[in-house]
Amino acid sequence: MAKASTKAGVRRSRKKTANELLLRVPALEFNQGKDRRLYSFAVDGKELHKFCTISRVSRNDSEGLSGYQRPEVVSHIVQIREYLESENPLLPNAIVVAFDESVRFKPSSPNSENDKAISRTGVLEIPVKEGVLDALKPGWIVDGQQRAAALRDARVEGFPICVVGFIASGLEEQRQQFILVNATKPLPKGLIYELLPSTEGKLPIALQRRRYPALLSERLNFDDDSPMQGMIRTPTNGTGVIADNSILKMLENSLTDGVLYLYDDIEEQLDVLKTFWSAVKTVFPDAWGELPRKSRLMHGAGIVAMGFLMDTIADRHRRTKALTSKVFVNDLEPLRDICHWTEGYWEFGADNRLKWNELQNVPRHIQLLSNYLLIQYRELVWKA
Amino acid sequence: MKFFFPDSQDLVDPSFDFDTEKRKETRIRQRDDLYAHEVFEKPPYDGMLVSMAIVHGTGGSTGRYTLGQQRRFSVEGAREFLRLPKGLELIGDCGAFTYVKEPVPPVSVEQVARFYEDSGFDYGASVDHIILEYDPQWDRPLPGTKPVPEDCVRRQELTIQLARDFQKLCRQQKVRFEPIGIAQGWSPKSYSKAVSALQKMGYKYIALGGLVPLKSTEILQVLEEVSPKLRPSTGLHLFGVTRLDYVKEFARHSVISFDSTSPLTQAFKEDRENYYGPERKYPAIRVPQVDINQKLKNRILSGEVSQAEAFRLERECLEALRDFDRRSFRRLELIEVLNEYQQLYGSTRNYSADYEILLKDRPWKECPCAVCRKLGINVVIFRGAERNRRRGFHNVYVTYKRLKHIRGKARTL
Ligand SMILES: [Zn+2]
């Protein structure tokens, strides 16, 4: 295939010398079944690429095995790379490598005291050819491709990692293992968010940003004095009526552009949140606590739009008085009649009229509802 | 003549580190970022122009602001949101370019007036509908020439009617902003007719829309037709026009202000005129990010290019540029490295000759602006929003400096 002979490829093969070395690493061998031997060892992540290829993609001359890489891969690699460049990274899970038959295991002296029934110590001998084409390397990374790429690209001197290898009888078997380990489902997003508050240390930036809102959401869900106690639906609280994502969105909005931005202290933030949502519960008792299909107040659009109202009421009063329950109730009361959480029609003006249950959790409707509530608030409360 | 800079959420992140290319993790968009008027010691414009379409979106478009920012914009007001210093003015318009393809504007006069009033603008433009065609021949039709397209006439009538409604509403509601009437036309005479109508309604500040695609001489022809009919108290604004070479002529025809993003956008949209030097414009040096450049990404995904090789060359380019700026890397070798990377990511353009001039002139060394002082050679590297936008800010700075120079020479401006 013409593509295989790119500039980079040509340059590499030209550099190729017959300088074959034997990389010898201390390893543990164990049997997982008949003819199934696994080797566990540690290696510098930067060294990995001397004997492993991340992808067999360039071997597709005749076989037509096109790359396994999914489109989002590159951005994911960048995330891991940034994590590896952080203060004190940890990469406990092993990279899984399928070796071809040129790799050998040499057990240490028979009956070494470290040997047990299921494992024995020794040295794994991996042939390393300087400047060889990727396709000719003895190892193929079947799990951990993105971590391996990140290790290679990270601006760190070195980073020891754990490798689990096995010797595959051929390409077919390598591929089978590749499919098997990569067919597992990723963790559901919701579970990750739920685990976030109890993690420490650096996480990939996207998750890092969600950690604080997740912590606030957790407190709203579990604190005894929270009006939302037990109401936020998470993987471990399946009976909640409000989707955790709606709460997180509301919190994120306020943390960047609303009242929560003004406080550094989490207790103060929670205080405002609990006071406001208690007021919402007081003013809209019938819509509160119902499933979203019965009440749009508990729906993504309702939660997010009411969050903006919280920020606006706070903006109006915070300079002059404490944000008490009374302040919020007084400012919400005049809006009671124009809200149609459980029945009737939203009169958004002009030809924009929506039946209460036509309101969907989509950006367009969230914007429509938010603007409507804010304009009504300005007219009926702020200017009145 | 005043220069207004249109807002489209063009900010830079001061926590961005040009060596590691990382930003502070706790950075909050817009709040921690800087506008051009916060980057330089003195704002590089006389005011800003904010379109309702950019903030809220209109009809189908969603706008550039998040919902949280939209809310804060309306509660705090535009001035506080933009952190605009005293003395700078604010014009609001509806952003007709976003709905140019629709049959009628998807915004109402009431919505637009409320937007201006609630956000505290100094000036607010009426609702308009851009006319896409322009042909001076329609003013002197010869036998056989096709008549003015109906759609042009319809759009002009609509725009005039909306300006009338807007003026009426502003008077009724005693708004605090000064209304600007927008004129649309398809020829010098048709613009003149629209301007006269607006003047009759009581507008003292009139903006000409739809001029962006016109040549400078065509704009002048329009002004020559329009200005004789103006009262002494009427001033004109030109939407989306920066033609510094014509500023004096424009001023003679009662133009008192204009706005344009082109100094900013040229920094990353033009092929070869990305950096404004004192004598000429230069192309910026392309060093795209391996993980963002789509062409390169595709070549990596298809196995055509090795990712490791791409990363290596990318880094080599950046290091060579840095060393060159410290005078410890030679120009010709630098160009060679840049070319090697360029071949990898598959660009067909050859910039070598341009790069050579740029690297010989080193214009960023001479520029006194805060961006060039701080960034050094990074300001001429075409790469990612943080570099590209700062280069755009530099261009805005250069543009404004030139305008002030022209103004200084002619006191009447
Ligand atoms: Zn500069």
Side-chain angles (χ1 to χ4, degrees), chain B residues 40 275-276 363-364 366-373 379 390-391 393-395 397-398:
Chain B
F40 301 108
Y275 179 89
Y276 291 13
W364 66 93
E366 310 301 322
C367 180
C369 93
V371 168
C372 296
R373 296 277 57 79
V379 74
R390 277 173 175 84
R391 179 169 57 259
F393 283 6
H394 154 92
N395 292 348
Y397 168 93
V398 172

Side-chain angles (χ1 to χ4, degrees), chain B residues 134-350:
Chain B
Y134 181 85
D135 191 345
Q137 288 213 353
W138 282 324
D139 282 344
R140 277 167 250 96
L142 297 166
T145 44
K146 63 181 172 94
V148 178
E150 239 174 79
D151 189 53
C152 294
V153 180
R154 189 185 63 85
R155 281 174 180 243
Q156 186 180 58
E157 279 168 3
L158 189 58
T159 300
I160 290 176
Q161 184 55 46
L162 288 166
R164 189 171 288 123
D165 298 346
F166 184 69
Q167 177 74 276
K168 208 169 119 197
L169 189 80
C170 290
R171 282 191 183 141
Q172 261 171 16
Q173 300 192 343
K174 297 196 178 70
V175 296
R176 285 163 297 175
F177 61 88
E178 184 187 335
I180 296 178
I182 303 186
Q184 291 286 353
W186 55 82
S187 65
K189 277 206 167 72
S190 63
Y191 269 107
S192 166
K193 197 186 121 202
V195 169
S196 297
L198 293 168
Q199 208 171 216
K200 229 173 266 163
M201 293 173 205
Y203 283 104
K204 290 200 172 87
Y205 203 171
I206 294 172
L208 306 186
L211 302 177
V212 179
L214 268 57
K215 294 189 195 100
S216 300
T217 48
E218 289 176 320
I219 295 176
L220 265 184
Q221 279 162 13
V222 169
L223 288 171
E224 274 158 18
E225 192 71 40
V226 165
S227 67
K229 309 227 175 93
L230 293 179
R231 295 175 191 141
S233 57
T234 305
L236 296 178
H237 176 89
L238 305 181
F239 273 127
V241 171
T242 22
R243 318 275 167 109
L244 292 187
D245 294 337
Y246 288 82
V247 158
K248 276 190 225 160
E249 279 94 333
F250 290 168
R252 247 178 260 137
H253 293 294
S254 300
V255 174
I256 57 168
S257 56
F258 65 93
D259 69 88
S260 172
T261 44
S262 75
L264 176 90
T265 52
Q266 282 202 326
F268 42 85
K269 287 197 176 146
E270 280 286 310
D271 178 25
R272 280 166 211 267
E273 303 194 327
N274 308 122
Y275 179 89
Y276 291 13
E279 308 296 333
R280 52 163 291 172
K281 294 172 182 170
Y282 299 90
I285 297 171
R286 271 88 179 147
V287 188
Q289 288 138 294
V290 169
D291 30 29
I292 287 172
N293 185 270
Q294 199 52 50
K295 242 190 219 165
L296 190 48
K297 234 162 108 175
N298 292 343
R299 296 185 86 174
I300 290 170
L301 288 175
S302 70
E304 213 177 318
V305 161
S306 131
Q307 191 183 34
E309 179 72 359
F311 270 119
R312 188 186 67 73
L313 268 172
E314 178 194 17
R315 225 171 280 174
E316 220 170 90
C317 285
L318 288 174
E319 273 160 29
L321 281 158
R322 228 169 282 154
D323 290 342
F324 172 83
D325 206 22
R326 287 191 215 108
R327 297 192 179 271
S328 61
F329 203 91
R330 291 170 48 168
R331 190 173 66 236
L332 293 180
E333 280 167 49
L334 171 59
I335 292 172
E336 212 168 285
V337 178
L338 292 169
N339 274 338
E340 198 180 347
Y341 184 41
Q342 184 168 310
Q343 270 166 30
L344 189 76
Y345 69 77
S347 170
T348 48
R349 298 239 161 86
N350 192 341

Side-chain angles (χ1 to χ4, degrees), chain B residues 57-76:
Chain B
T58 52
S61 74
T62 46
R64 298 250 172 101
Y65 284 48
T66 64
L67 283 176
Q69 289 170 341
Q70 290 177 28
R71 189 202 67 83
R72 195 155 54 81
F73 187 90
S74 67
V75 173
E76 288 179 353

Side-chain angles (χ1 to χ4, degrees), chain A residues 4 10 74 94 161 163 201 239 241-242 254 262 271 278 282 343 383:
Chain A
V10 171
V74 176
I161 41 147
V163 178
T239 56
V241 289
I242 313 170
S254 186
L262 304 169
D271 195 42
S278 298
T282 307
E343 56 183 11
K383 284 186 185 166

Side-chain angles (χ1 to χ4, degrees), chain A residues 117-355:
Chain A
I118 59 163
S119 68
R120 56 177 180 165
T121 55
V123 167
L124 200 64
E125 292 180 346
I126 309 168
V128 177
K129 278 182 225 151
E130 194 78 25
V132 76
L133 277 173
D134 265 6
L136 302 174
K137 287 175 182 170
W140 181 27
I141 297 171
V142 295
D143 187 32
Q145 302 92 339
Q146 308 189 18
R147 273 168 286 150
L151 281 160
R152 177 195 63 206
D153 302 330
R155 293 163 216 234
V156 292
E157 279 301 304
F159 192 83
I161 41 147
C162 177
V163 178
V164 170
F166 61 92
I167 294 169
S169 56
L171 205 57
E172 291 300 308
E173 198 187 336
Q174 290 191 350
R175 251 180 229 166
Q176 180 205 1
Q177 288 302 319
F178 174 74
I179 290 163
L180 285 177
V181 297
N182 285 291
T184 53
K185 277 199 185 132
L187 281 179
K189 278 248 155 63
L191 181 58
I192 293 177
Y193 296 151
E194 202 172 356
L195 292 170
L196 276 179
S198 43
T199 58
E200 271 174 38
K202 192 178 147 75
L203 292 166
I205 284 186
L207 288 181
Q208 184 105 336
R209 284 191 176 280
R210 280 242 146 165
R211 176 155 52 184
Y212 194 77
L215 181 59
L216 284 169
S217 169
E218 185 186 63
R219 290 282 305 271
L220 284 175
N221 213 6
F222 294 109
D223 282 8
D224 288 332
D225 61 344
S226 165
M228 290 176 170
Q229 193 185 15
M231 287 171 63
I232 302 171
R233 193 170 63 252
T234 65
T236 63
N237 182 37
T239 56
V241 289
I242 313 170
D244 55 353
N245 233 335
S246 305
I247 294 288
L248 290 172
K249 197 78 215 107
M250 179 270 294
L251 293 169
E252 280 167 13
N253 287 335
S254 186
L255 282 165
T256 57
D257 291 282
V259 61
L260 300 184
Y261 176 83
L262 304 169
Y263 300 101
D264 290 324
D265 184 61
I266 188 165
E267 299 305 328
E268 286 180 312
Q269 290 171 329
L270 282 164
D271 195 42
V272 175
L273 285 165
K274 289 171 187 171
T275 311
F276 172 75
W277 290 101
S278 298
V280 174
K281 183 180 171 181
T282 307
V283 176
F284 302 103
D286 298 340
W288 188 262
E290 294 291 333
L291 284 166
R293 75 183 136 81
K294 290 190 181 164
S295 160
R296 275 347 199 201
L297 179 59
M298 300 287 103
H299 197 265
I303 294 288
V304 170
M306 289 305 276
F308 287 133
L309 206 49
M310 165 180 79
D311 292 331
T312 310
I313 298 175
D315 275 336
R316 181 183 171 216
H317 294 290
R318 65 186 161 80
R319 287 200 184 86
T320 50
K321 47 185 150 187
L323 297 172
T324 59
S325 173
K326 201 165 161 257
V327 165
F328 283 125
V329 171
N330 279 347
D331 276 23
L332 286 172
E333 280 287 355
L335 300 179
R336 192 205 305 261
D337 293 341
I338 57 115
C339 287
H340 299 277
W341 303 119
T342 57
E343 56 183 11
Y345 288 84
W346 291 92
E347 304 289 347
F348 293 138
D351 357 295
N352 257 324
R353 189 170 191 254
L354 277 189
K355 201 172 168 216

